[in-house]
Amino acid sequence: MALRTVCSAALRTGTDLGVNNVRTFVTTVALCKRTPPLGPMPNDVIDLKKLESVERYRSYTRYLRRAEEAKNQPAWWKTYRGYMEQADPDHGGEQVDVGLPHYRPRRTTEVRERRQVIKANKKNAELERSIRLRTFKIPLDRVQETWEQSSAPFHIKRLAEHYGVFKDLFPKAYFLPQVLLRVNYGQDNNSGQVYYGNRLTPTQAASAPQISFDAEEGSLWTLLLTCPDEHLQDNEAEYIHWLVANIPGGAVQAGDELCHYLPPFPPRGTGFHRYVYILFKQQGPVSFQDDVRPSPCLSLEHRTFKTVDFYRKHQDDITPAGLAFFQSQWDESVTDTFHNTLDMREPVFEFIRPPVYHPPQVKYPHRQPLRYLDRYRDGQEHTYGIY
C-alpha cells in the first residue's frame, strides 16, 4: 500500500512537470530498493526458527570470553572506535599500567571464604533474632574496611578516568591506586575531607592538610599536589602546590619538603579546577636536587611543573601508588593569595558589574519620583508592607 502511494505520487508529479512517467517511476523504484550489506551481518548464522539448536554458554565467564573474541575479530563495517581513531590517532590507544602490580586472590578462595561466612551466620542465633525483629544494624566502619580491601582501587581508577586525571597527568598511562590516601583539611573528618572529586573552597584549603596512609615500616614515599587546570600561560603545564619526598613510613612531617605548600588559587571566571594528590612509593632514598624550589617559592614561573616529566625522570625509583583529588573554584581568599602571597595583580576572566551610581542625596528633592529615597537605603530587607 505504501509503495503504491509513492508510485502514484511520483506519476502525478511527473505528469504535472511534463516528464516521462515511465522514467519517473523507474527512478522512484530504484530509490526505494534496499542496498544489500557489504558483508555478513552480526548473528546471521543464527536460525530464528530453530533457537533450541543454538549452543548455550552455561556460564557468564564463558559468555564473556566469547564476547571478547567476537569483539576482537575484524569487521567490514566501521565502528565508533574506527571513526575516532581516524580523527584522533591517540583515541582508544592501549594504555600502559605504571602502578604497582595487583595480586587478586583466586576465585575459588573467595567463594570458599564466602561460604564459610554464610554458614557461620546461619548458626548465629543472635543475628537471626535481630534480623527477624528488625533491630540489626550494619556497622559502616566494617563496610568501609571491606570496600577498601576489595573494590576501592578499581572504583577510584574509574573516577580518575571520568575526571580526566590520567589523561592530563599521565598521557597514555594509568595506575591502580592500591594505597588509600586520606587527606583532611579540617579538624572535623567530614567538613574538609578530600575524596575523589568532591568540592572544597580555597578558604578550606588555605593551610597544609593532615595526610595519612598505610605504609610498611622502613618504606619511603613521595607526596605531590598539582593542578592541571590552573596555569595562566601554557595549557599543557601545571602549577605545583606541594612536594614532599623521602617520607619515612606515613610521617609526612619528617620528609624532605622540596616545595612548600601553596593554597589553591583558581582565577575568577574559570570555573572549577582539579587539585590532585599523588602518592609515589620509592624503591629507596632518592636525591631530588633538580626538583628543589626556593623557600619560600612565591614565583609562578618557578612553580611551573609537569607530572609526566617528573615521573619520567625518576621512573626507575618511584611508582605511583595512591590518589586523591578535589575540585575548587574562586572565592574571596584567592584575591588575598594573589595580592599578598604571590604579590601580583589578580587575573579576572569574567565581567564584574560595577555598582549602580547614584548622585549625592538631596535633602529637599524636587520633581523626583516617589521612590527617590529607596536609592539611598542600606539594602536590607524592608519590614513594612509594599506601598
Side-chain angles (χ1 to χ4, degrees):
M1 183 66 185
L3 181 61
R4 186 188 309 169
T5 306
V6 172
C7 294
S8 61
L11 290 173
R12 186 167 56 254
T13 306
T15 306
D16 297 339
L17 297 177
V19 185
N20 189 2
N21 294 341
V22 178
R23 184 178 178 181
T24 306
F25 176 77
V26 172
T27 306
T28 306
V29 173
L31 292 175
C32 295
K33 185 179 180 181
R34 180 184 176 185
T35 305
L38 301 178
M41 297 295 292
N43 301 327
D44 272 354
V45 297
I46 299 178
D47 189 3
L48 299 179
K49 298 181 180 179
K50 300 179 180 180
L51 293 178
E52 297 179 355
S53 61
V54 178
E55 182 184 4
R56 299 182 180 181
Y57 297 107
R58 296 190 297 273
S59 67
Y60 178 75
T61 305
R62 188 176 180 183
Y63 164 76
L64 190 62
R65 190 186 309 116
R66 292 289 184 86
E68 290 292 338
E69 294 175 357
K71 176 183 176 182
N72 297 328
Q73 290 180 356
W76 57 267
W77 61 82
K78 186 178 290 188
T79 60
Y80 171 76
R81 179 181 297 179
Y83 282 105
M84 293 303 299
E85 288 179 353
Q86 183 177 359
D88 184 9
D90 297 335
H91 178 80
E94 185 176 358
Q95 294 183 336
V96 181
D97 186 2
V98 296
L100 298 173
H102 176 66
Y103 300 100
R104 183 176 179 179
R106 297 179 59 182
R107 179 68 177 174
T108 55
T109 305
E110 294 180 351
V111 173
R112 188 184 305 112
E113 293 177 355
R114 188 178 304 167
R115 288 178 178 175
Q116 292 177 357
V117 172
I118 294 176
K119 187 176 181 180
N121 290 338
K122 288 182 178 180
K123 294 181 179 179
N124 192 342
E126 198 70 30
L127 179 63
E128 187 273 335
R129 182 175 181 275
S130 60
I131 293 176
R132 179 164 42 82
L133 298 178
R134 299 182 181 180
T135 58
F136 177 71
K137 295 182 179 180
I138 300 177
L140 297 182
D141 295 339
R142 188 175 177 183
V143 174
Q144 177 76 12
E145 182 182 355
T146 305
W147 175 76
E148 292 178 354
Q149 296 176 356
S150 57
S151 57
F154 301 96
H155 292 172
I156 298 172
K157 175 179 172 291
R158 289 181 59 184
L159 288 171
E161 291 176 346
H162 173 75
Y163 282 96
V165 173
F166 296 140
K167 180 184 66 175
D168 294 335
L169 299 184
F170 298 91
K172 299 182 181 180
Y174 72 95
F175 66 92
L176 195 66
Q178 301 187 37
V179 179
L180 291 181
L181 185 61
R182 303 174 185 88
V183 183
N184 192 3
Y185 275 101
Q187 301 296 333
D188 188 5
N189 294 332
N190 297 325
S191 60
Q193 184 76 22
V194 175
Y195 296 103
Y196 312 102
N198 59 315
R199 299 178 182 179
L200 295 178
T201 62
T203 304
Q204 289 178 293
S207 58
Q210 300 175 4
I211 308 293
S212 63
F213 54 91
D214 298 331
E216 304 94 359
E217 185 178 357
S219 60
L220 295 176
W221 306 81
T222 297
L223 181 65
L224 169 68
L225 172 60
T226 182
C227 178
D229 308 320
E230 209 171 36
H231 207 281
L232 299 175
Q233 296 178 342
D234 187 2
N235 291 333
E236 302 297 329
E238 311 158 21
Y239 282 140
I240 182 173
H241 285 258
W242 201 19
L243 182 59
V244 185
N246 296 318
I247 301 173
V252 180
Q253 296 80 6
D256 301 332
E257 192 173 49
L258 308 181
C259 183
H260 79 278
Y261 182 82
L262 182 67
F265 52 92
R268 187 169 187 172
T270 57
F272 284 96
H273 291 203
R274 297 164 296 173
Y275 294 88
V276 186
Y277 281 92
I278 303 177
L279 183 66
F280 297 91
K281 186 175 184 180
Q282 301 178 193
Q283 302 295 334
V286 182
S287 175
F288 294 95
Q289 293 297 329
D290 298 336
D291 302 296
V292 178
R293 264 64 173 180
S295 182
C297 183
L298 303 179
S299 172
L300 295 183
E301 183 179 357
H302 293 161
R303 285 187 175 268
T304 300
F305 183 79
K306 283 190 176 181
T307 303
V308 61
D309 294 342
F310 175 78
Y311 174 70
R312 286 172 179 171
K313 187 191 305 182
H314 306 285
Q315 62 180 347
D316 296 333
D317 301 319
I318 61 175
T319 305
L323 180 69
F325 57 96
F326 67 96
Q327 301 181 85
S328 185
Q329 67 175 351
W330 181 91
D331 67 358
E332 291 78 6
S333 66
V334 176
T335 304
D336 181 72
T337 302
F338 275 109
H339 292 173
N340 300 329
T341 305
L342 300 177
D343 193 18
M344 60 178 292
R345 297 178 60 184
E346 180 187 7
V348 179
F349 296 92
E350 70 178 5
F351 177 72
I352 302 177
R353 187 176 297 276
V356 180
Y357 170 75
H358 295 299
Q361 184 179 359
V362 181
K363 187 175 182 179
Y364 300 104
H366 296 285
R367 296 187 178 181
Q368 294 295 335
L370 184 61
R371 290 180 174 267
Y372 174 78
L373 295 178
D374 290 344
R375 302 176 183 175
Y376 305 97
R377 297 188 184 277
D378 53 2
Q380 300 295 331
E381 186 178 357
H382 303 315
T383 59
Y384 51 83
I386 300 177
Y387 57 92

